[in-house]
Amino acid sequence: MLFSLNKKQVHGATGAVSFEGRSEPIVVLIHGAGMDRSVWSQQTRFLAHHGFRALAVDLPEHGHSEGPALESVAELAKWIVDLADYFGESLHLVGHSMGALVALHTAGYHKNSVSSVSLLGVGASMPVHPELQEAADANDVKAAQLITSWGHSTRHHLGNNPTPGLSMTGGTQALIESASSGVLGIDLMACATYDGALGSAEQIECPILFLLGAEDKMTPRKTAQPLIDTVSSSKSVIDLPETGHMVMIEEPDRVRQELLTHMSN
Amino acid sequence: MVEPEFRRFDTRALHAGQHPDPSTGSRAVPIHQTTSYVFDSVDHAAGLYNLETSGHIYSRISNPTVAVLEERIASLEGGVGAVCTASGMAALHLAVATLLNSGDHIVASRNIYGGAFILMNHTLPRFGITTTFVDPRDPEEFAKAIQKNTRLIFAETLGNPGIEVLDIDAVSDVAHAAGLPLCVDSTFCTPYLINPIEHGADIITHSATKFLGGHGIAIGGVVVDGGRFDWDASGKFPTLTEPYEGYHNITFTEEFGPAALSMRARAEGLKDFGACMSPANAFYLLQGVETLPLRMAKHVENTKQVIEMLDNHDAVQWIKHPDHPSHPDHDLAKRLYPKGAGAILSFGVKGGRDAGRKFIDNVSLASHLANVGDAKTLVIHPGSTTHQQMSDEDLETAGISEDLVRVSVGLEDADDICSDLSKALRASQR
Ligand SMILES: Cc1ncc(COP(=O)(O)O)c(C=O)c1O
């Protein structure tokens, strides 16, 4: 789907189900740093056929959305609010990594725009390894390799993908390599400099779901705990054993089902 | 300095794509000898058929044993995915049929496997797809042959049978400058000798029948999706970038991003043309892949010794192998193939066609047959077998002289291979 938001072109995947003439609730899936809508390929189409209008969005300057990239989590959250205004209703938000911070911030500070929030691969803070930041700023392919290497659990480094024939690590790396020049560096900086996660968590009033990989090396499981402890609204925490940071790719079936259950309640 | 950590090549050759079976503990990859798979519910079935959820439906589309091989090759090649097929020819056809339509055009190397040449020169034109053949040694020739309707550049990483070395980086630059993907057949190399994606190739096809399987026991093929080509930016590939009615108007690039090609190849070409790999063949081929690094190392080591023997043999007119200094691509081969430029070579027997025949009739260890990449040493005279349908003219442009003998160097003791070939060479001169 292509549409215009604040005079800029926005692209997203809708599971090939048009929004026109439909009134189901809208779920917006927000990708992480240097990625795009396609990380949600195992969820978008499913949700689009299970009672939602699903939009796996390309954030500005990612995938096929027009730039420039937004440089902070707060700006990205504001962009999600504009998206909610564009559709004229509140959204279910699903976010991964940087996208999880964006969903969290939107849910905390723009309550009217959000009906529920689901966070995958999230931590109360997301410091970025200086050498990763450096490689990303230099558009060095090493940045994609580092994220791929850290992003998957030991088990999933070897794959055995439920989607026959696809390599999890190969897919992650190719996706990050495809990011436009400079974008990954901007995203990582936005993650590293965001210090509002606990503040946002305190504000949250909508139901919240955490989907967390036990072997997440990018946002280690223990860094999610302060967030979980801070949230006072209705919350569910799903811990996924042998799973890394790329939760929706590593455990696609479980993620699909948990999202559906959470958002249908 | 931090470095990315991945399982190394030899480890992935054994483990990628598989974990021990959770219900039985089977360490080996089980042969899932089944045509079909029970659905959990009507909703589950509908989801599978609609590409909403992942899993197996019917073994023409995917099979758990075959999927291990697919993921393993994708991992060894550094691709985003792979689709296994009934044969190497089926792999080439699947790649072409997924991307091209009637009216489209291919620019291909003229030094390719005879079967691939015939497919492109005679068979595909019946379906409206035409090919211009060019000298793989000259990237400029690829550039010059590109037409408005060109959709694919195709070549073998190591050509057939002159073992022409493709400058993958240069030819992929030509392809990409024209908004086209480069597809390479890397059958002779396997991922052990080169990862073409790192050099700019976008699609790799393999005849797994050869070195990947390595034992001459099963026919199979693989299409590997590099996942780096920007189909949307190119704008030339409606099968990937426009809605497909066959699956509720799915647009493969929109939904699957880098894996668009592998998803479409499976959802359409494998499903509709039906040239799938059987689970039993996938199992055999997997046994081969487990020892790929060991075998390929020995294949290229033995090849070096055979080259040395031939080099010193009076009955040998010429030798064609990139590791031999007389080969026009010797320097390029040193850059691209530091481990060795494969285990297939050709040479000319003094005395032409008759001497060539005598040579073939006098080998005793080497087997005279139409295959390469067996664990056993193989010899053939292409002019009278693999390339016999080609006209004399086509033969000549393909670089096949009538004295040409092709050897696929096996894993026997190198001394035994050398003495067998040497004896037959002597006999050929009587
Ligand atoms: C380089 C090359 N590509 C493709 C093929 C075709 O493979 P298959 O025989 O598995 O169909 C061959 C077979 O000889 C080959 O040598």
Side-chain angles (χ1 to χ4, degrees), chain A residues 99-149:
Chain A
L101 295 181
V102 173
L104 180 69
H105 192 89
T106 316
Y109 295 110
H110 307 278
K111 295 182 189 159
N112 293 337
S113 300
V114 184
S115 337
S116 83
V117 61
S118 304
L119 308 181
L120 292 75
V122 70
S125 64
M126 289 193 197
V128 173
H129 195 291
E131 289 182 46
L132 170 57
Q133 184 71 53
E134 202 179 302
D137 291 340
N139 294 306
D140 184 341
V141 67
K142 186 176 171 188
Q145 292 166 346
L146 285 172
I147 292 176
T148 305
S149 150

Side-chain angles (χ1 to χ4, degrees), chain A residues 42-43 156 161-163 168 246-258, chain B residues 54:
Chain A
Q42 291 303 310
Q43 286 81 31
H156 289 115
N161 196 337
T163 307
M168 292 185 194
M246 301 302 294
V247 187
M248 59 286 182
I249 290 169
E250 296 184 346
E251 292 296 338
D253 296 323
R254 189 75 196 274
V255 169
R256 267 193 294 269
Q257 288 304 334
E258 297 294 350
Chain B
S54 39

Side-chain angles (χ1 to χ4, degrees), chain A:
Chain A
M1 177 160 77
L2 277 173
F3 57 100
S4 178
L5 188 68
N6 306 331
K7 304 209 180 82
K8 305 255 188 221
Q9 180 172 283
V10 176
H11 175 257
T14 60
V17 183
S18 162
F19 277 28
E20 230 153 90
R22 291 180 60 205
S23 58
E24 291 101 325
I26 297 177
V27 49
V28 172
L29 300 110
I30 313 167
H31 61 78
M35 302 195 178
D36 70 20
R37 71 205 176 272
S38 65
V39 290
W40 303 108
S41 68
Q42 291 303 310
Q43 286 81 31
T44 312
R45 200 168 164 81
F46 175 80
L47 294 171
H49 287 90
H50 284 81
F52 291 87
R53 281 176 287 165
L55 175 65
V57 77
D58 284 339
L59 291 172
E61 207 165 332
H62 297 71
H64 298 314
S65 286
E66 200 178 335
L70 303 177
E71 299 193 0
S72 70
V73 169
E75 282 174 83
L76 286 160
K78 176 66 180 52
W79 189 83
I80 297 292
V81 173
D82 292 344
L83 199 60
D85 292 345
Y86 172 86
F87 290 116
E89 59 186 273
S90 72
L91 309 171
H92 292 277
L93 296 182
V94 178
H96 172 246
S97 201
M98 177 185 78
L101 295 181
V102 173
L104 180 69
H105 192 89
T106 316
Y109 295 110
H110 307 278
K111 295 182 189 159
N112 293 337
S113 300
V114 184
S115 337
S116 83
V117 61
S118 304
L119 308 181
L120 292 75
V122 70
S125 64
M126 289 193 197
V128 173
H129 195 291
E131 289 182 46
L132 170 57
Q133 184 71 53
E134 202 179 302
D137 291 340
N139 294 306
D140 184 341
V141 67
K142 186 176 171 188
Q145 292 166 346
L146 285 172
I147 292 176
T148 305
S149 150
W150 295 336
H152 290 276
S153 68
T154 306
R155 176 182 176 86
H156 289 115
H157 259 260
L158 291 178
N160 193 220
N161 196 337
T163 307
L166 296 193
S167 162
M168 292 185 194
T169 50
T172 300
Q173 189 170 320
L175 178 62
I176 300 172
E177 281 181 30
S178 76
S180 327
S181 162
V183 162
L184 179 62
I186 291 172
D187 288 354
L188 292 175
M189 192 60 88
C191 293
T193 54
Y194 181 62
D195 60 3
L198 288 176
S200 299
E202 242 168 54
Q203 298 294 322
I204 287 203
E205 287 170 13
C206 65
I208 183 164
L209 167 69
F210 292 88
L211 284 159
L212 306 169
E215 279 188 41
D216 187 335
K217 293 192 196 73
M218 305 282 290
T219 50
R221 170 63 181 85
K222 63 175 189 297
T223 66
Q225 200 54 44
L227 280 180
I228 298 168
D229 294 342
T230 303
V231 169
S232 60
S233 65
S234 140
K235 58 190 164 191
S236 334
V237 180
I238 310 288
D239 280 302
L240 299 161
E242 293 192 287
T243 305
H245 186 62
M246 301 302 294
V247 187
M248 59 286 182
I249 290 169
E250 296 184 346
E251 292 296 338
D253 296 323
R254 189 75 196 274
V255 169
R256 267 193 294 269
Q257 288 304 334
E258 297 294 350
L259 288 178
L260 187 62
T261 307
H262 174 68
M263 295 191 301
S264 306
N265 283 340

Side-chain angles (χ1 to χ4, degrees), chain A residues 1-2 9 11-13 36-38 58 62-65 175 178, chain B residues 99 151 176 178-181 202 227-243 250-261:
Chain A
M1 177 160 77
L2 277 173
Q9 180 172 283
H11 175 257
D36 70 20
R37 71 205 176 272
S38 65
D58 284 339
H62 297 71
H64 298 314
S65 286
L175 178 62
S178 76
Chain B
L99 291 174
R151 292 292 177 270
H176 296 162
L180 299 171
D202 302 292
R228 268 61 170 191
F229 190 79
D230 191 339
W231 307 106
D232 285 304
S234 160
K236 295 177 172 161
F237 298 94
T239 54
L240 301 185
T241 62
E242 285 174 21
I250 198 165
T251 299
F252 285 87
T253 48
E254 179 171 307
E255 298 214 14
F256 299 108
L261 172 68

Side-chain angles (χ1 to χ4, degrees), chain B residues 1 17 56 104 117 119 159 168 195 256 311 316 368 372 394 421:
Chain B
M1 246 200 355
H56 305 288
D104 290 345
F117 178 84
L119 171 75
I168 308 169
N195 285 138
F256 299 108
D311 215 10
V316 174
H368 177 215
V372 295
D394 286 345
L421 299 183

Side-chain angles (χ1 to χ4, degrees), chain B residues 49-62:
Chain B
Y49 273 102
N50 195 29
L51 293 182
E52 293 164 26
T53 62
S54 39
H56 305 288
I57 298 174
Y58 187 67
S59 287
R60 171 162 27 84
I61 308 168
S62 68

